[in-house]
Amino acid sequence: MIIKLLYQLWRFAIIVLLQVALLNHIQWSGYINPYVYVLFILLLPVELPSWAVMLIGFALGIIVDMFSDSGGMHAAATVFLCFVRPFVLKIMAPRDGFEPETNLGIYKMGFNWFLTYTSILVAVHHLFYFYTEVFRFTEFFITLFKALLNTIVTVIIIILGQYLFSNDKRVK
């Protein structure tokens, strides 16, 4: 139990450090800002209670906000992501449900499942974040384009990261 907690804390620190030290400084044409920190929420254990996931999401979002000077927008978007996550997991659950201690990584769940799961939740996060950032409908389509473009880039980075850095690779 302690080892699993330490592993989660280590992953939390690495993802936050990667986000605030490297990815927050990437801006291509003012449209693409990859927010890969949501990967931490995506990979949390299924059996974790919803209230715990939302608290973890708030902590993750507020830490990214402190380094990004974004006034709580990351915290709000991440809590919304944590709110939607159980519904997406319920819809995408295998017929018999998830086994205890199921790893939601790409190697365990398969590419198609992980791509769908990641795309839905990253899109939810990004749409919420970018519309909260703009907070008006006069730029509806520009914001939609920006959110979808960022979703695509973030999902690509997450998938590549899963293949490169996942520690439960299949032996073929």
Side-chain angles (χ1 to χ4, degrees):
M1 181 70 179
I2 293 291
I3 291 175
K4 290 179 186 176
L5 180 64
L6 290 174
Y7 174 73
Q8 293 293 339
L9 288 172
W10 173 251
R11 189 168 56 178
F12 183 89
I14 293 297
I15 288 176
V16 168
L17 187 64
L18 176 71
Q19 182 66 50
V20 300
L22 180 66
L23 296 174
N24 277 357
H25 302 291
I26 294 176
Q27 282 199 2
W28 294 305
S29 304
Y31 281 98
I32 298 177
N33 310 64
Y35 294 121
V36 178
Y37 72 92
V38 297
L39 176 64
F40 182 77
I41 301 299
L42 300 178
L43 297 179
L44 283 174
V46 177
E47 63 271 1
L48 210 58
S50 295
W51 62 268
V53 174
M54 291 179 91
L55 281 175
I56 292 167
F58 177 74
L60 176 63
I62 206 73
I63 289 171
V64 172
D65 278 327
M66 287 190 304
F67 287 101
S68 304
D69 195 29
S70 52
M73 289 187 303
H74 287 286
T78 308
V79 169
F80 185 69
L81 165 71
C82 295
F83 177 76
V84 172
R85 182 179 180 253
F87 299 109
V88 172
L89 284 172
K90 191 175 196 179
I91 291 169
M92 297 186 66
R95 187 176 327 169
D96 301 329
F98 291 104
E99 295 177 12
E101 299 185 22
T102 298
N103 178 5
L104 294 177
I106 198 166
Y107 288 109
K108 176 70 174 166
M109 301 308 293
F111 176 79
N112 290 335
W113 187 93
F114 190 77
L115 178 66
T116 305
Y117 169 70
T118 302
S119 298
I120 291 169
L121 289 178
V122 170
V124 163
H125 174 272
H126 283 34
L127 286 167
F128 189 93
Y129 175 79
F130 286 109
Y131 278 110
T132 304
E133 181 182 48
V134 173
F135 210 70
R136 62 180 170 266
F137 286 114
T138 56
E139 298 175 12
F140 180 82
F141 291 108
I142 293 172
T143 306
L144 180 65
F145 174 72
K146 189 174 179 180
L148 294 178
L149 192 62
N150 278 290
T151 298
I152 292 167
V153 171
T154 301
V155 168
I156 289 170
I157 292 171
I158 287 173
I159 297 290
L160 288 174
Q162 278 286 291
Y163 278 122
L164 294 174
F165 301 112
S166 183
N167 60 352
D168 54 310
K169 295 181 171 109
R170 288 187 187 157
V171 177
K172 294 187 180 182

